[in-house]
Amino acid sequence: MKKELITMCFAALSGVSAWGAVTPNPLLSRGLPAYTSEGVNPYITDGDLTNWKQCTAKEIAFEVGEGPSRLFLTWESYGDCAWATDFTANCSHSGTPYRNFKVYASANSTDGKDGDWTLSAEVKGNVVMSRGIFVPFEGMSWIRLVSEEEVGQLLEVEIFDASVAANDTWFFMGTSISQMGLKQQDTDSTTAELIHARFPEYTPAMLRGGIGCINSDEVVSHLQDYLQYAGNVKYWVIEMGTNDAWGGGDWNVETFRENMQTIIDAAKEHGIEPILARIIATNEQVAGWQVNPKFLDVIDELTEQNHLHPGPDFYTYFLNHPEQLASDGVHPNGQTLGGQAMHHLWAEALAPIYAESIAQESGWIDSEEMRPVSPILSVEGSEIKLSHLPANVKVELFDPSGVVVERFFVSNVDHVVLPSRLPAGLYVLLAKWEEGVISRQVVIR
């Protein structure tokens, strides 16, 4: 890739106007007891999607507490981990979605059963395994979910305060790579937990939407379903292309481009900001094929042309870590922490959005002119340039797994060029000084 293109990628990161600022929607439910028709359930608010930690009760109540005027209620069901069971013709999927239920709220209940209850929301005919809905909650303190039919296996229910906004909401559209990688149990932290650890005021609502065997053709054919069931979140973070690129050829690369542009356009028309991941590399020695680079070019070009925030580079990471792929050489291996790596890669890719949101809120970025008043970053070749520096800045470069690969300290120089000897790939630059911090992605190609 030309040096000018690299510089353009980072010029876009100098302000938040392209993607908007994230407003916290605090998580209220973590650790709350779930009072159910089958007894108290401690599992579905613990943040853990371990399969045996589930709830099958038809009635579930939570004491959320007074204060919020609106809630964003999300749930994750088990099945075989696919988001939908019938969106692709090439694979069959199993599972019972949380299909038909009503949501009631109470201001005077003491145990989730007594008191007066008002119908606040109703879900009918839901066909997906992960979803979020808004619930009016002004003056209320309890919420109760009531279903008249079998509910399947609920793994997690999360309740967020959406009184001010609900734009810290993320739908992870994907293939079996995401189905297996983001919902498997062998991970130290989810993307949402990693973001929260770095930016404590944020608690992202994370909906997993991976479907085994799906390709971009089938996503486009079901685009109205995606919008119906995941159109009320702010971000669609998209892992797509493995099945389009299957076998290593390039015969349908232009169809892939057209489909992805259709998905991007539909998302933007509905106020959703899409983010594209670079397609995961295979272990070519095992799988017998590798992703054709033309598909990667499509992802890079669409990201640039549509002014999208860059997603994680799954290709480069897994090309360098084939041991984290399964025995088929294609999918992430839970036991060797392939899924964990995906969570970390997504968190690293999304972190700059949060860092710049904090910078804007804190006055480090001029909110009217959207110009940075903190250090300005650009990249030319292997040189990383920082200007508009305050005094005593600590600069660290991290690889996708979170390991510090280079470290610099700048004392009282307003402009500095940091020569890097890093190989091509995706990195995260973190600059810290007494009054603040910025985080940027660095892509060296």
Side-chain angles (χ1 to χ4, degrees), residues 15-316:
V16 298
S17 58
W19 314 298
V22 180
T23 303
N25 32 238
L27 176 59
L28 307 174
S29 57
R30 184 57 54 84
L32 288 182
Y35 300 94
T36 83
S37 51
E38 299 175 352
V40 177
N41 186 301
Y43 301 133
I44 61 170
T45 59
D46 65 0
D48 189 344
L49 297 186
T50 301
N51 296 343
W52 61 266
K53 292 183 174 182
Q54 59 186 253
C55 179
T56 58
K58 294 182 179 180
E59 294 193 18
I60 312 170
F62 305 92
E63 186 177 12
V64 177
E66 298 179 354
S69 60
R70 187 177 69 151
L71 305 177
F72 187 59
L73 169 72
T74 73
W75 67 92
E76 289 273 355
S77 296
Y78 174 50
D80 67 352
C81 298
W83 185 60
T85 60
D86 59 354
F87 282 13
T88 175
N90 296 319
C91 289
S92 60
H93 297 287
S94 62
T96 302
Y98 200 19
R99 189 179 304 276
N100 300 298
F101 63 95
K102 297 178 180 179
V103 182
Y104 296 89
S106 174
N108 59 6
S109 181
T110 61
D111 60 3
K113 296 181 180 179
D114 64 0
D116 303 307
W117 293 86
T118 300
L119 178 64
S120 297
E122 186 171 4
V123 173
K124 295 181 179 180
N126 174 60
V127 301
V128 298
M129 310 298 277
S130 180
R131 190 175 168 189
I133 59 171
F134 289 100
V135 179
F137 203 67
E138 184 74 46
M140 301 298 179
S141 58
W142 280 80
I143 189 171
R144 185 170 70 191
L145 286 61
V146 179
S147 174
E148 296 182 355
E149 60 184 59
E150 297 300 322
V151 303
Q153 300 164 292
L154 284 173
L155 295 180
E156 191 74 10
V157 173
E158 292 189 321
I159 303 169
F160 298 85
D161 184 349
S163 304
V164 176
N167 64 6
D168 195 6
T169 49
W170 304 80
F171 175 66
F172 287 72
M173 177 190 293
T175 67
S176 56
I177 306 299
S178 293
Q179 176 183 327
M180 297 174 64
L182 298 184
K183 212 165 182 176
Q184 63 191 18
Q185 303 169 40
D186 302 298
T187 184
D188 57 352
S189 300
T190 66
T191 301
E193 290 168 338
L194 291 164
I195 292 294
H196 177 63
R198 184 177 296 188
F199 308 102
E201 65 184 286
Y202 292 96
T203 51
M206 180 179 175
L207 301 173
R208 295 159 179 83
I211 303 176
C213 296
I214 202 162
N215 58 34
S216 64
D217 282 331
E218 290 168 312
V219 172
V220 169
S221 68
H222 287 277
L223 201 46
Q224 292 308 309
D225 294 307
Y226 278 94
L227 291 168
Q228 177 180 352
Y229 299 118
N232 59 353
V233 302
K234 179 59 178 176
Y235 297 93
W236 278 5
V237 286
I238 303 170
E239 168 272 311
M240 189 61 56
T242 295
N243 295 315
D244 296 84
W246 196 274
D250 66 352
W251 62 272
N252 63 336
V253 69
E254 289 308 313
T255 298
F256 176 69
R257 183 194 301 274
E258 293 171 6
N259 287 340
M260 296 305 294
Q261 186 63 61
T262 298
I263 296 167
I264 291 168
D265 292 342
K268 286 187 170 185
E269 287 171 4
H270 287 78
I272 300 165
E273 299 182 23
I275 298 174
L276 308 182
R278 301 187 89 223
I279 304 168
I280 192 171
T282 70
N283 182 343
E284 190 170 357
Q285 300 302 315
V286 177
W289 65 277
Q290 186 57 271
V291 175
N292 190 294
K294 292 182 180 180
F295 284 89
L296 301 172
D297 291 341
V298 167
I299 296 293
D300 296 338
E301 291 161 7
L302 290 175
T303 295
E304 181 189 355
Q305 293 164 5
N306 292 279
H307 308 291
L308 307 182
H309 181 84
D313 187 355
F314 289 149
Y315 182 86
T316 299

